[in-house]
Amino acid sequence: MTEVFNKMKVAIHNSKGSFSDRWIEYCEKNNIPYKLVNAYDSDIVEQVKDCSAFMWHHHHANYKDTLFAKQLLYSLEQKGLRVFPNFNTNWHFDDKVGQKYLLEAIEAPSVPSFVFYSKKEALKWINNTKFPKVFKLRGGAGSANVKLAKTKSQAKKFIKKAFGRGFSQFDRLGHLKERFSRFRQGKDTFIGVCKGFARLFIPTEFAKMYHREKGYVYFQDFIPNNSFDIRVVVVGNKAFALKRLVRKGDFRASGGGNIIYDKNQIDERCVKIAFEVNEKIKSQSIAYDFVFDKDNNPLIVEISYGYTAPAYDKCEGYWDRDMNWHKGENFDFCGWMVELVR
């Protein structure tokens, strides 16, 4: 292991449009030795032999990434490399069921969630619970695969499908509705809407290659009267945040693009909780999504190591672990990730 760390070179899987663009820029700017590698190559373990660290911003909607990214990262971590994301940061990524168990185990303040692995038990539960409930698949980001079951009848349909044909990871009709909604807001083009329509007939590569979700059903309590959520991102001992407005005529905020960056509109209780939870799960970096219950207490909805970096460039600064505010000082959160593996 000493031999590995003495090499002090960072291996980066270069995926355009991901964190890797900024990792590379940071390494070049700060004279940090790095090499580009291809995680999809069969000899990837050989490629990183002269490196002390490996970084890969793998994506939940790339079917190749979902096949082996976590396993490769775990393996290289066992070999002695520092990796990003590491096991504690990564194992629950794009897995809402895993997140349910994790947040419950560490007693984090989170939205009550329910998962069932038999149709009988799920149907029994809906006869004794209150509605509405939020139905989710275990994977998906940006409010994909998230629907509101307003009644027991609607929940029953979700359950029957979950233990029958199952759900595609790509919601074709939902995708078209999303593109049309963004078009009406001036955030998409007519061509984009046409592409969304075409997806009704031509599935994405991910939808063609990835299995259907079935054999379980997952619900969360619906927390009413939230016109926004708060996302707090922790990277090491720093945190930054933004406020996301709920879409018009919807109950979801994630993926809507209606963002407020004003630091004064961030409830700092969310920042404190995010730091505390991050220390418990020993994560390098996680984004925490918060809503507020009827007594205005922050509750975690879900967590994720990955997000779209440009959406956070307008954040006004960051908090340190002692909750001191640093306005616009060296705000390079992707660079901070590189420092975590050096």
Side-chain angles (χ1 to χ4, degrees):
M1 185 177 294
T2 302
E3 179 186 354
V4 172
F5 289 143
N6 282 340
K7 293 165 184 171
M8 290 304 295
K9 185 190 293 183
V10 180
I12 299 174
H13 174 80
N14 188 13
S15 178
K16 293 298 183 183
S18 73
F19 291 158
S20 66
D21 295 336
R22 300 184 181 208
W23 292 338
I24 293 167
E25 181 181 351
Y26 184 83
C27 287
E28 292 180 345
K29 181 179 178 181
N30 292 278
N31 297 315
I32 298 171
Y34 76 95
K35 68 182 290 189
L36 300 182
V37 298
N38 188 349
Y40 304 138
D41 288 345
S42 183
D43 69 343
I44 179 60
V45 175
E46 181 69 25
Q47 289 183 37
V48 301
K49 271 193 172 180
D50 61 341
C51 298
S52 59
F54 173 67
M55 305 184 74
W56 182 10
H57 183 189
H58 62 90
H59 198 281
H60 68 280
N62 183 318
Y63 84 90
K64 290 184 288 187
D65 291 12
T66 63
L67 284 173
F68 76 99
K70 293 180 181 181
Q71 290 81 356
L72 174 61
L73 285 155
Y74 302 162
S75 299
L76 294 179
E77 192 171 0
Q78 288 293 306
K79 177 179 170 60
L81 272 73
R82 300 184 182 99
V83 303
F84 183 92
N86 66 10
F87 181 85
N88 289 332
T89 305
N90 192 29
W91 74 261
H92 42 73
F93 171 59
D94 202 40
D95 184 353
K96 297 176 180 65
V97 174
Q99 293 169 23
K100 161 191 158 61
Y101 296 134
L102 175 62
L103 294 173
E104 289 175 352
I106 64 172
E107 299 182 349
S110 57
V111 177
S113 303
F114 311 88
V115 62
F116 303 95
Y117 302 101
S118 79
K119 182 178 178 181
K120 180 180 178 181
E121 289 300 314
L123 291 173
K124 179 180 177 181
W125 174 76
I126 66 170
N127 286 324
N128 296 284
T129 193
K130 295 180 180 180
F131 289 90
K133 285 286 189 287
V134 179
F135 166 82
K136 298 182 177 182
L137 298 182
R138 70 188 303 166
S143 293
N145 306 324
V146 177
K147 302 179 186 298
L148 190 63
K150 297 180 180 179
T151 64
K152 180 168 71 174
S153 176
Q154 289 179 329
K156 196 171 185 179
K157 289 181 180 178
F158 289 135
I159 291 169
K160 287 184 175 180
K161 189 171 181 180
F163 292 97
R165 183 166 179 264
F167 297 86
S168 170
Q169 275 279 6
F170 180 70
D171 181 356
R172 302 185 193 192
L173 183 58
H175 177 69
L176 174 59
K177 290 180 178 178
E178 175 72 14
R179 298 211 73 154
F180 184 69
S181 174
R182 292 180 66 83
F183 172 70
R184 292 181 65 183
Q185 298 174 44
K187 297 178 180 178
D188 205 341
T189 64
F190 179 71
I191 293 176
V193 175
C194 292
K195 289 181 178 179
F197 180 76
R199 283 296 179 202
L200 292 174
F201 310 98
I202 306 172
T204 63
E205 183 181 36
F206 183 82
K208 287 189 292 184
M209 301 299 294
Y210 203 73
H211 62 78
R212 296 180 72 84
E213 291 287 315
K214 59 194 301 186
Y216 75 95
V217 67
Y218 174 92
F219 292 96
Q220 273 189 331
D221 276 353
F222 173 66
I223 310 299
N225 304 318
N226 278 273
S227 59
F228 61 88
D229 73 5
I230 299 292
R231 168 165 280 198
V232 179
V233 183
V234 177
V235 183
N237 59 4
K238 302 180 180 71
F240 51 99
L242 47 75
K243 182 177 184 178
R244 304 184 298 187
L245 303 181
V246 168
R247 314 168 192 214
K248 186 176 181 180
D250 203 336
F251 69 99
R252 301 168 299 176
S254 178
N258 298 313
I259 300 173
I260 294 175
Y261 296 95
D262 182 1
K263 178 254 184 186
N264 295 318
Q265 295 201 40
I266 304 300
D267 190 322
E268 290 195 349
R269 293 178 299 166
C270 298
V271 181
K272 291 178 181 178
I273 292 170
F275 271 130
E276 291 166 358
V277 171
N278 211 59
E279 288 175 356
K280 287 184 178 180
I281 66 177
K282 298 178 174 60
S283 161
Q284 294 165 313
S285 174
I286 294 288
Y288 296 86
D289 297 343
F290 290 87
V291 294
F292 298 83
D293 67 15
K294 61 182 177 62
D295 297 315
N296 198 37
N297 296 309
L299 298 175
I300 299 171
V301 181
E302 57 189 62
I303 63 179
S304 173
Y305 98 88
Y307 45 88
T308 303
Y312 302 83
D313 288 338
K314 294 181 181 178
C315 288
E316 297 180 342
Y318 66 90
W319 290 266
D320 63 29
R321 185 59 188 89
D322 296 322
M323 294 301 297
N324 298 308
W325 173 250
H326 301 262
K327 182 176 177 60
E329 295 179 20
N330 301 314
F331 187 69
D332 185 352
F333 50 92
C334 290
W336 301 341
M337 296 173 192
V338 176
E339 292 299 330
L340 289 173
V341 300
R342 290 189 66 198

